[in-house]
Amino acid sequence: MPRKDADRLSLILLMTPLLLWLVLLILLPHLGIGYLSLREKVAPRVYHFSFANYIDFLHEPIYWNTLLRTAWMSILVTVLTLFVGFPIAYYIAKVAGRRSRAALFLLCLVPLWVSDLVRAFGWMMLLRETGIVSGLLQWAGLSSGPVEMLYNDVTVIVGLVYTVVLFMIVPIVSTLDGMDNSLIEAGYNLGGSRLTVLRRIIVPYAMPGIVAGCIIVFMLTAGSYLTPVLLGGKNSMWFTEQIYDQFITRYNWEGGSTFGILLLVFTSLVVWAGLRLSGQNLATTVAKR
Amino acid sequence: MSSEQANDLECEHLTKRFGAFTAVDDVSFEIPSGSFFSILGPSGCGKTTLMRMIAGFEDPAAGDIRIKGRSVLGTPPNRRNVKMVFQHLALFPMMNVGENIAYGLRCAGVGRSDIERRVRDVLERIGLPGVEGKEINQLSGGQKQRIAIARCMVLEPDVLLLDEPLGALDLKLRERMKIELKLLQHQFDTTFVYITHDQSEALVMSDRVAVMNGGRFEQIGAPQELYNAPGTAFVAGFVGDSNRWSGRVVAADAEAVQVETAGGARLLCRPGALRPAPGEAVEVFVRPEAIAIAGGGAGEGAGGNRLAGRVDSLLFNGAASRVLVRGADDRLVEVAYAPEGGPGDFGPGDAVELAWAAAQTKCFPSQG
Amino acid sequence: MKSTRAILLSASAAALVLLAGTGGAEAETLRLLTWGSYAPDKIVEAFEKKYPDIHVEVTFSNNEEMIAKLRATGGAGFDLAQPSHDRIYAVQKEYGLYKPLDLSKIDMSVFEPKLLEGVKANTTIDGKVYAVPHQWGTSGIMVDKTKAPDAKGWGDLCNSKYKGRTSMRLKRTILLGTAFSMGYDPFAAYGDLKKYQEILDKVADKLIACKDNIKAYWKGGDDLASLMLSGEVVMSETWDSTAYRIYNQNHNIVFVPPETGALAWIDTFAIPAKGEADDAAYKWINFVMQPEMVKLMSASSGAVIAVKNGKDMLPDDKKAAYEAAWTPEDVQRLKFFANIPPGVEDMEGKTLEKIKAATGG
Ligand SMILES: Nc1ncnc2c1ncn2[C@@H]1O[C@H](COP(=O)(O)OP(=O)(O)O)[C@@H](O)[C@H]1O
Ligand SMILES: [Mg+2]
């Protein structure tokens, strides 16, 4: 009996921080935001329960267009990040020696060492019309005049890929790490070409890591703020910018909360659809070692 | 060369180095079609490295590899008609049994209906019909083993390489699989190259065995040859059980060599290919079953070796039971005995005399 | 079991001690919520030297975030804030973020009377004054004289002569400036929101058409400075202080008060409703309005302090930039931002979204 009690107590002690974290930092704020989003302001300091904020969203094409645009660009960033990150992850997990492995990991961490703002300004210095890349192009004779590479969607996407690529690499490396090299060798031995081995053995094996990486990258991208705002052009709107504007510029906390909930729901839907389409489910993704 | 005799696999002066370390050192051998060839050696001696060179995963530093008479040095692994059963089998966990077996056929561009038929056939031949739909983790150890072999055999390879495939199995299953492997090899009539560090696996299954040590082949021969006529001290010690003494040659003639052991006993032995000169250090080997044991009185066996001692203990192990006898030099000698119903004539502490023929005693110059 | 409980108890005891420790600091703390350059280290040090028992804790912010922060706590967490004069009235009415000032605790004699009266008029509710001025500046345009010699007003930002070479910040200032340049008086329309919406719609049309002319919307002072200094942009909407800073590096780039009048803002002192160090706050106000501190402040922020002859307290370089920009007539034409009535921020926000979302133009 006492043994059991002690076990239960230690379990409770272990779980408490996790539960506190879940409840205080995740559940409560979302409940608060959900509650706010269902209030409609009818007069100064007078609010009613209503779905007006959600209806407003539906009636304003600017809002849902921005949400769709954000989702599409985030999907694009996710796909590009996968294409960039997978070879790097494969190299780190299967090709690199132990020492260069650590170095490569550190290299991938570099983007995270500096703040979002500094990173964005770095890109601006590189890509602006009078910036380094433009200068190099002219110097090399590849361009007759200055080239503006800032303020467009391509720049936003490149900047985002650069920022989030680590979050794709880490989960893929950790699944590939668990893969016995002899599976790959068996793939070749039985007559597989490089492409076959990649497609039928390596990628399926890494699938849990790929899915986890894609979810993280998609969520991070859809929720990012500074990179799209600073690098984006005159027409580019990111949904988080809308949320910021609602909360901060327009003092419209009710609208901002609505947008926050919508972003959460919509990105979750996209993730769910992605899992369905790729035939994966969250349990195998997270639970597989 | 290949015209004289159909060899499925020939290796010539094969060498592999990792940095300054030579893992495989000038190894040559040839394997006739349809035979079961084993490479036996302690772990770390270079067996896997040798096999990986044959499969194409390592490039040899020197030498040549020929399959069906044609050199495959420039051929990538996926073009060599040599299939491999990996140490941990390497069945693909993301595919079911049928897909695992079909993988190679699909790579080869075999048609869909053909694949289905051939998968069904090979599963029947290995005695597991109808398991196509099972997942890999639903199979038992022995079944996985057979699926791994089927996955290779369905491709009709020239040579099948097996890298210690029984290592992960429990003892009982291992004993059964030994026999089954041999039967499978007969059935498929394909050349098997089997790697193991377990001498009994090698002896039971193989037509010929190569004993490997420190990157080199010590001896190649039929199991009986290795057992009865080991060519080196290493082979004598590694293959089968032996009693072993170190000593020095005191006299040598055409028939026999006389050795004085470190403990002072004098033993007559039959030298190997190299006749040791007087004064040279040698290792003397004799098998437990070659020794006759007699209680108290003198045994016969003229021109043989004799040793008096006391029974130290009896080790009962069915057909492989042993008596441990402590000789005058305080060394333990293992002697085989047939326990017909009980310990029989003697018990611990009894004085006994051991006798064995000089012809059964091998001696080799000490190595190193 | 027993030992586990003992550990738990001692852990919670330790936590309590920690909590108590953070609450009961001996020295009083003045938590200042202000703009980036409004609390230079030199002034904070001098203040803490004069009042050794007050510790100053500075949080940098801007108008919108100041309001959001105070709103989140109902006016707690800070002891002194510095919102612009036009951002107090509506916020106070709606959310009650500030407490009335006790003017007897402030040395009123140092203030420039016109600014003081202006702020008081803007921030008096039910006879109670909620803010006094601290420093003021304007928004107008910044022009590279060599490349755009005859730019005069907000409208020139959309002049196709400078296609792809102008910039602006997509916030309410440009809406108001453009409205003035189109001949409207948006401040007058604050009383009639329907009319104001009509103006906004016209402004939006104009700014959407203008998008093509614009290279990029700038987002902050550093951003703007690199656009101008690199020559990528020859004319931009700007804060005067940013223009003065750039003038120092390139005398061809000057601040131009638009012909319809530069838009002026006054950053104020206001005490949050749940501030806990009112005395320290008043001490800070009086302290930074002393002549020596005014000089330091002006040098740091580049803005004119709301004391008598504040312009003369500008450091020499900024004064030169100021004099290169302003004529007495320009000063006469200054338009102070009018109090934003409730609802206007929302209308303006929607208009800005519409402009941002519009493609091409
Ligand atoms: N890739 C490699 N790099 C360096 N040394 C290796 C490599 N592969 C094997 N070796 C070394 O070569 C020797 C033989 O290895 P291996 O062929 O695996 O032995 P076995 O299969 O007989 O146990 C071992 O000492 C091993 O450490
Ligand atoms: Mg091995």
Side-chain angles (χ1 to χ4, degrees), chain A residues 185-258:
Chain A
E185 286 178 348
Y188 286 120
N189 181 259
L190 295 168
S193 62
R194 270 166 199 278
L195 189 69
T196 314
V197 172
L198 179 72
R199 209 169 48 82
R200 298 208 46 211
I201 295 167
I202 300 174
V203 169
Y205 194 95
M207 207 35 127
I210 292 175
V211 171
C214 286
I215 293 177
I216 298 171
V217 163
F218 176 77
M219 288 302 216
L220 277 179
T221 308
S224 65
Y225 177 73
L226 271 174
T227 309
V229 167
L230 285 178
L231 301 183
K234 287 181 287 189
N235 309 327
S236 73
M237 272 282 238
W238 210 256
F239 200 64
T240 49
E241 207 179 338
Q242 293 272 13
I243 298 179
Y244 180 91
D245 280 350
Q246 292 288 341
F247 268 104
I248 305 295
T249 315
R250 291 171 59 183
Y251 308 156
N252 185 358
W253 287 19
E254 293 71 34
S257 303
T258 308

Side-chain angles (χ1 to χ4, degrees), chain B:
Chain B
M1 251 214 286
S2 50
S3 57
E4 286 174 33
Q5 186 186 1
N7 285 334
D8 273 346
L9 177 66
E10 296 160 344
C11 289
E12 239 173 47
H13 305 297
L14 211 51
T15 300
K16 175 73 193 176
R17 294 189 195 92
F18 295 113
F21 174 73
T22 307
V24 174
D25 191 1
D26 194 26
V27 164
S28 301
F29 61 96
E30 48 205 41
I31 304 176
S33 281
S35 59
F36 197 122
F37 186 87
S38 288
I39 299 172
L40 170 66
S43 85
C45 73
K47 307 180 296 291
T48 298
T49 306
L50 174 58
M51 185 162 277
R52 289 170 56 81
M53 283 194 282
I54 299 169
F57 297 124
E58 305 277 0
D59 286 324
D64 194 10
I65 301 167
R66 282 189 294 272
I67 293 169
K68 292 250 184 241
R70 196 165 320 122
S71 172
V72 293
L73 281 192
T75 314
N78 56 350
R79 297 276 169 72
R80 295 191 187 185
N81 200 15
V82 172
K83 301 303 159 206
M84 183 156 172
V85 176
F86 286 80
Q87 200 155 1
H88 301 289
L89 305 183
L91 292 171
F92 303 133
M94 58 297 233
M95 306 179 196
N96 65 20
V97 170
E99 289 164 345
N100 259 282
I101 296 175
Y103 172 88
L105 294 171
R106 278 180 61 178
C107 291
V110 178
R112 188 173 286 269
S113 59
D114 223 14
I115 290 182
E116 230 168 83
R117 182 179 52 74
R118 284 170 70 174
V119 169
R120 204 174 336 110
D121 283 357
V122 80
L123 283 176
E124 249 160 50
R125 287 176 79 177
I126 60 161
L128 289 172
V131 297
E132 287 100 325
K134 281 203 179 174
E135 294 299 325
I136 297 302
N137 55 20
Q138 293 175 300
L139 301 175
S140 72
Q143 288 173 329
K144 282 184 192 166
Q145 197 77 56
R146 280 182 280 177
I147 298 300
I149 292 167
R151 184 173 77 169
C152 295
M153 294 318 295
V154 78
L155 299 172
E156 295 165 2
D158 294 330
V159 177
L160 181 70
L161 308 173
L162 302 102
D163 188 354
E164 312 208 18
L166 304 188
L169 302 184
D170 61 65
L171 188 68
K172 250 294 178 338
L173 191 54
R174 200 149 65 204
E175 292 301 320
R176 220 179 63 219
M177 284 307 295
K178 275 187 210 170
I179 300 163
E180 208 159 302
L181 267 178
K182 180 75 187 162
L183 293 176
L184 279 174
Q185 191 257 335
H186 264 299
Q187 200 191 348
F188 285 110
D189 196 26
T190 301
T191 305
F192 276 30
V193 179
Y194 186 90
I195 283 190
T196 181
H197 64 267
D198 180 321
Q199 42 124 352
S200 91
E201 286 174 19
L203 298 184
V204 168
M205 294 186 277
S206 317
D207 297 318
R208 284 163 72 76
V209 177
V211 180
M212 193 171 183
N213 183 33
R216 294 175 157 276
F217 274 8
E218 296 263 343
Q219 188 175 3
I220 304 178
Q224 299 86 335
E225 237 174 296
L226 297 177
Y227 193 83
N228 295 325
T232 67
F234 178 81
V235 177
F238 196 73
V239 178
D241 291 340
S242 285
N243 290 294
R244 174 183 196 147
W245 290 268
S246 306
R248 220 160 262 290
V249 176
V250 286
D253 62 31
E255 276 298 289
V257 174
Q258 195 172 30
V259 177
E260 187 177 280
T261 67
R266 295 218 159 194
L267 298 174
L268 285 173
C269 62
R270 183 71 52 83
L274 288 172
R275 185 180 301 278
E280 198 174 334
V282 290
E283 303 280 323
V284 179
F285 296 87
V286 62
R287 302 225 178 260
E289 65 268 26
I291 304 177
I293 184 166
E300 65 258 63
N305 293 305
R306 277 162 192 286
L307 206 64
R310 285 185 182 281
V311 174
D312 188 84
S313 47
L314 298 171
L315 306 178
F316 178 76
N317 184 17
S321 297
R322 297 279 189 267
V323 187
L324 293 186
V325 177
R326 195 173 291 279
D329 57 356
D330 211 32
R331 273 195 49 136
L332 285 177
V333 179
E334 263 186 56
V335 182
Y337 83 103
E340 285 139 4
D345 311 332
F346 35 77
D350 291 354
V352 290
E353 181 132 343
L354 306 177
W356 65 94
Q360 307 267 39
T361 316
K362 308 282 183 293
C363 54
F364 305 97
S366 296
Q367 287 174 330

